[in-house]
Amino acid sequence: MRPHQATAPAADGATRPEDLSLQVSRRPRPGRWLAVLAAAFFAVWLGYTIVVNPNLHWDVIARYQFDRVVLEGLWVTVQLTLISQAVGIGIGVVAAVMQLSESPVLRLMAGAYTWFFRGTPLLVQLIFWFNLALLFPEISIGVPFDGPKLISWQSNQVITGFVAALLGLSINEGAYMAEIVRAGIQSVDPGQREAGASIGMSNRQILTRVVLPQAMRVIIPPFGNQFISMLKTTSLVSVIAGADLMTVSQHLYLANFEVIALLVVASLWYLVLTTIASLAQHAVERRFSPGAAPPLRRRVLANLLPGRLTKGTAQ
């Protein structure tokens, strides 16, 4: 930018400060316009190539997009995502609290859990849970160390593809959520804990009423990313026949050989799910953004000083 100052002389010939104005002219940027034109040309060419490609079979895509079998697989994918994420959050919170515990035994156990399940591929974990019967042919409840068994089940009957998928996704997600929650808890000023302890709050009350509400600002963005990643990670369940969206798409294209068309069908549904999750993430992030600090502060103060806030402060 090139600033130019234009002066307008007064009636007496003198220049007053208020007569000064700043005029800004932009330098031409041919490189930027060339990049814009190249990107637009590439986008139009790519879209045209996809639309007119006779091997894509848009009629097959339209026929299977809302097919009953595909929708059933989509529902299984949604179930796997919601249940695994909910269980993973619970495991992650417990593991994070254990990592921040004063007990070295609890810290070691939580650290070993996150180290192992973050260090091994999720695909390997899914296959392991699906083949758990090879290690434990029978699942029983009773006295440990070869004591009497009260009730038992055959592992093959209990560990179905869906159950194995839930175990693998939930436990793996818990390891990542543990690190996210731990970072969020550690981001809260230690003085907040001291304030809660000074008025007689227990450690559990300090955690749930003071620390976690303030840690949410740090936890929400990576949690949203993990949830979106979970939606796509459920496609790995296809290796153990988990009846999810990817699994049914594979079964269909193995039967009719419309590989690309069925992959497009699955991809479109994944795009729909991740778009909805992204919009929800942005809404939640705005809710816990710095602009929403006063309501959050009031909730924390209400937990620290129950019944002591004045009416004017609550408003």
Side-chain angles (χ1 to χ4, degrees):
M1 296 183 182
R2 296 179 178 176
H4 301 281
Q5 286 186 346
T7 60
D12 55 0
T15 301
R16 298 191 180 95
E18 59 269 17
D19 295 329
L20 296 177
S21 62
L22 184 63
Q23 297 179 351
V24 179
S25 61
R26 295 182 178 274
R27 292 180 179 178
R29 297 179 181 271
R32 177 185 297 177
W33 285 107
L34 288 175
V36 170
L37 291 175
F41 175 80
F42 177 78
V44 172
W45 170 82
L46 182 62
Y48 174 79
T49 303
I50 292 175
V51 170
V52 303
N53 193 326
N55 298 318
L56 198 52
H57 301 168
W58 285 102
D59 57 330
V60 178
I61 295 173
R63 185 167 72 250
Y64 282 100
Q65 194 66 54
F66 295 95
D67 186 79
R68 179 184 60 84
V69 177
V70 173
L71 293 180
E72 289 176 354
L74 177 66
W75 173 236
V76 172
T77 293
V78 173
Q79 287 180 301
L80 284 174
T81 302
L82 295 178
I83 298 175
S84 299
Q85 192 69 47
V87 176
I89 291 173
I91 296 175
V93 171
V94 174
V97 173
M98 291 173 62
Q99 284 183 331
L100 298 174
S101 172
E102 297 180 356
S103 170
V105 176
L106 295 179
R107 291 200 304 269
L108 179 62
M109 292 177 61
Y113 161 71
T114 56
W115 165 76
F116 181 82
F117 286 100
R118 292 175 65 200
T120 55
L122 176 58
L123 183 61
V124 175
Q125 297 174 31
L126 290 171
I127 297 174
F128 171 82
W129 289 113
F130 186 67
N131 294 279
L132 187 64
L134 299 176
L135 185 62
F136 300 105
E138 196 175 75
I139 300 175
S140 59
I141 299 176
V143 180
F145 304 108
D146 296 329
K149 300 176 182 178
L150 301 179
I151 187 172
S152 62
W153 304 272
Q154 293 295 320
S155 297
N156 284 330
Q157 298 177 355
V158 177
I159 307 298
T160 62
F162 185 82
V163 174
L166 281 180
L167 287 171
L169 294 173
S170 302
I171 296 175
N172 181 266
E173 184 66 16
Y176 287 93
M177 286 303 303
E179 293 301 302
I180 292 174
V181 175
R182 179 186 61 79
I185 292 175
Q186 289 182 325
S187 69
V188 179
D189 190 342
Q192 299 292 320
R193 300 183 183 89
E194 297 173 0
S198 66
I199 60 173
M201 297 179 70
S202 64
N203 289 333
R204 181 182 61 83
Q205 290 175 324
I206 294 174
L207 177 66
T208 57
R209 297 185 180 183
V210 179
V211 176
L212 285 180
Q214 298 181 73
M216 290 301 290
R217 292 180 186 170
V218 177
I219 294 174
I220 288 296
F223 164 75
N225 295 335
Q226 283 295 117
F227 184 81
I228 294 172
S229 178
M230 174 67 75
L231 279 168
K232 297 176 292 184
T233 303
T234 54
S235 60
L236 293 176
V237 175
S238 60
V239 301
I240 58 174
D244 67 306
L245 178 60
M246 190 61 195
T247 302
V248 299
S249 299
Q250 286 181 336
H251 290 170
L252 289 172
Y253 71 62
L254 289 175
N256 59 17
F257 303 104
E258 294 286 353
V259 179
I260 301 300
L262 269 301
L263 289 178
V264 171
V265 169
S267 299
L268 290 175
W269 278 122
Y270 282 121
L271 283 173
V272 170
L273 293 178
T274 54
T275 300
I276 295 173
S278 299
L279 293 175
Q281 177 188 5
H282 293 322
V284 175
E285 286 183 6
R286 284 198 303 270
R287 179 67 181 85
F288 288 93
S289 65
L296 178 61
R297 239 187 341 257
R298 285 197 292 269
R299 288 199 304 274
V300 174
L301 288 174
N303 289 328
L304 284 172
L305 305 172
R308 299 185 186 183
L309 293 179
T310 63
K311 182 178 180 180
T313 304
Q315 294 175 349

